[in-house]
Amino acid sequence: MTAVPELTYSAVGATRSPDLLSHPPTGFRPMVRAVPIGSGENLFTRAADATMRFGIQRRSGLTATRGEGLADGKSPLKAGDTAVLRLGAVRIPVRIVYVIDEARRRGFGYGTLRGHPESGEEAFVVEWRDDDSVWLEIRAFSRPAHPLLWPGYPLLRLFQEIYTRRYLRALTTAD
């Protein structure tokens, strides 16, 4: 039996908190962004399906290899799945810590594993609202994973901002 890798933070599931921006886990920087991506049930279904298969990450320029070699993206993510996202040679190991599977909301949150440049959690949720609009919300809290990365924290923040913007655009043409 393979040992389950440890998360690099303790506030597991905190991206679900409605007051994440005002009360983030101690020592972490919070972020919440949401954008409308269109309208209608068909878009919601396509966007949610893409989200649950790392479609946001793939459409943003990352590659995703799921644990157990499941890199095909054919099966939806589930809590406990591990993956390594990559940007070139940079490895970004994560574990799915929760899944949202509701009639009008779908998504997941992942937590950082050892080897990730940051420590924290990020969530990707697609919501079909009562006015028929479909929204993507990204919620996160993070900090550098290692003391040697703190001097480069402004660069890490810039990188996170660039990728958050890419993520927010990724579903505007959900297949």
Side-chain angles (χ1 to χ4, degrees), residues 91-146:
R91 294 181 73 250
I92 307 167
V94 299
R95 180 183 323 137
I96 308 303
V97 294
Y98 65 84
V99 167
I100 298 168
D101 189 8
E102 300 169 4
R104 296 176 77 94
R105 290 181 75 233
R106 288 192 60 208
F108 67 91
Y110 63 54
T112 57
L113 299 174
R114 182 185 210 113
H116 194 295
E118 291 187 304
S119 176
E121 191 172 285
E122 193 162 24
F124 303 85
V125 180
V126 177
E127 181 179 7
W128 180 26
R129 297 186 179 175
D130 290 339
D131 66 358
D132 203 39
S133 64
V134 178
W135 288 70
L136 171 61
E137 182 176 60
I138 299 174
R139 303 171 64 79
F141 60 88
S142 64
R143 68 180 179 202
H146 190 278

Side-chain angles (χ1 to χ4, degrees), residues 22-56:
S22 59
H23 295 92
T26 302
F28 289 85
R29 184 181 66 86
M31 185 270 305
V32 176
R33 301 276 175 75
V35 295
I37 60 171
S39 62
E41 183 177 7
N42 287 336
L43 175 64
F44 170 73
T45 300
R46 290 191 319 271
D49 186 62
T51 298
M52 297 308 296
R53 288 169 170 74
F54 279 133
I56 293 171

Side-chain angles (χ1 to χ4, degrees), residues 13-25:
T15 51
R16 289 181 156 193
S17 175
D19 63 351
L20 177 63
L21 286 176
S22 59
H23 295 92

